[in-house]
């Protein structure tokens, strides 16, 4: 991510600017940070997860959103665009529109070289402050690898690691599983696009 400016903005100013922006920006406690574009592998991984998810949980009360839905985290004065958000029930919106949600159950991030440190540290800390947030999945886009954090109790998260194409990612918060080879279907690890 590239720092756009040194000027500090209020959340209201950011939201007004974001409505007119030609590209997505994250808001972090007064700073507006331009988000980089994703790679084709990044896109395929997110789509593969999203393609299988509704087929598996059909008839259950979940909604899945990819890439363009903004998430508000008031405690940290953050607005961000997770790669994948899963909600149980109906979305709870901030304000009167339908573009900013506040109630993710599960978040999936596809890691890139430019964002993986942030996704694994501060961003996960921010996500953990959301009431009702239960599970965080990070998927590497350069090799068969995924990391899973599942909330067990307040302040207690269980970590699981997957590093083989035949490994099966089994969610804790939702009755859903997917093999890594399905997540990485048609992904070309020879492509390094950053």
């Amino acid at each position: 991510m590239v720092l756009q400016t040194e000027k500090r903005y209020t959340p209201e100013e950011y939201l007004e600017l974001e409505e007119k922006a030609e590209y997505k920006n994250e808001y972090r406690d007064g700073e507006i940070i331009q988000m980089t574009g994703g790679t084709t592998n990044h896109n395929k991984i997110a789509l593969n997860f999203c393609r299988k998810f509704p087929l598996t949980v059909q008839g259950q009360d979940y909604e899945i959103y990819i890439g363009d839905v903004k998430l508000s985290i008031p405690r940290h004065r953050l607005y961000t665009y997770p790669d994948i958000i899963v909600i149980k029930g109906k979305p709870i919106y901030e304000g009167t529109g339908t573009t900013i949600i506040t109630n993710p159950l599960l978040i999936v991030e596809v890691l890139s070289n430019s964002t993986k440190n942030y996704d694994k540290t501060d961003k996960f800390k921010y996500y953990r402050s959301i009431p009702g947030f239960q599970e965080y999945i990070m998927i590497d886009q350069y090799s068969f690898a995924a990391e899973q954090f599942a909330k067990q109790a307040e302040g207690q998260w269980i970590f699981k690691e997957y590093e083989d194409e035949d490994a099966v990612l089994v969610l804790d918060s939702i009755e859903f599983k997917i093999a890594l080879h399905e997540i990485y279907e048609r992904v070309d690890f020879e492509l390094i696009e950053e």
Side-chain angles (χ1 to χ4, degrees):
M1 295 186 180
V2 179
L3 184 63
Q4 184 177 2
T5 179
E6 294 294 322
K7 181 182 181 326
R8 306 289 290 179
Y9 293 88
T10 67
E12 295 76 23
E13 290 172 321
Y14 159 75
L15 293 171
E16 186 177 321
L17 289 168
E18 192 70 355
E19 280 185 28
K20 301 170 192 159
E22 295 178 15
Y23 42 81
K24 294 188 289 189
N25 298 284
E26 187 172 86
Y27 177 83
R28 292 187 210 158
D29 194 21
E31 294 181 51
I32 296 177
I33 298 146
Q34 184 178 343
M35 297 180 67
T36 59
T39 65
T40 54
N41 280 347
H42 182 285
N43 196 262
K44 286 178 187 177
I45 290 166
L47 286 171
N48 286 340
F49 185 95
C50 287
R51 184 177 50 151
K52 174 141 185 183
F53 185 83
L55 299 173
T56 305
V57 299
Q58 191 170 5
Q60 297 180 46
D61 196 16
Y62 296 103
E63 297 288 339
I64 189 166
Y65 302 98
I66 187 166
D68 290 330
V69 175
K70 193 179 351 262
L71 174 64
S72 173
I73 308 174
R75 179 173 168 189
H76 294 283
R77 291 178 33 105
L78 178 72
Y79 290 95
T80 188
Y81 294 87
D83 291 323
I84 300 168
I85 301 172
V86 176
I87 294 171
K88 181 163 180 61
K90 296 201 179 299
I92 298 172
Y93 297 107
E94 178 179 279
T96 58
T98 59
T99 59
I100 306 169
I101 60 137
T102 62
N103 63 322
L105 173 70
L106 168 95
I107 294 174
V108 179
E109 294 285 8
V110 179
L111 302 178
S112 65
N113 287 333
S114 63
T115 64
K116 67 181 173 187
N117 290 335
Y118 174 58
D119 288 342
K120 289 182 173 200
T121 57
D122 288 344
K123 200 170 197 184
F124 182 35
K125 177 180 83 173
Y126 303 149
Y127 287 162
R128 290 193 311 261
S129 73
I130 301 169
F133 176 60
Q134 296 294 310
E135 197 158 6
Y136 187 41
I137 308 295
M138 291 173 282
I139 302 171
D140 190 311
Q141 69 174 294
Y142 308 107
S143 64
F144 288 101
E147 298 177 5
Q148 174 185 30
F149 288 89
K151 187 174 186 177
Q152 303 301 300
E154 197 58 41
Q156 181 183 10
W157 292 77
I158 300 291
F159 170 73
K160 294 179 188 170
E161 187 172 35
Y162 305 86
E163 293 187 325
D164 181 83
E165 69 181 287
D166 293 324
V168 177
L169 171 64
V170 180
L171 298 184
D172 278 23
S173 59
I174 302 166
E175 194 173 316
F176 174 78
K177 61 184 175 181
I178 184 170
L180 261 57
H181 66 83
E182 293 175 291
I183 291 173
Y184 290 97
E185 186 177 337
R186 300 182 68 168
V187 169
D188 183 352
F189 291 124
E190 300 300 315
L191 293 177
I192 304 292
E193 302 178 27
E194 286 195 65

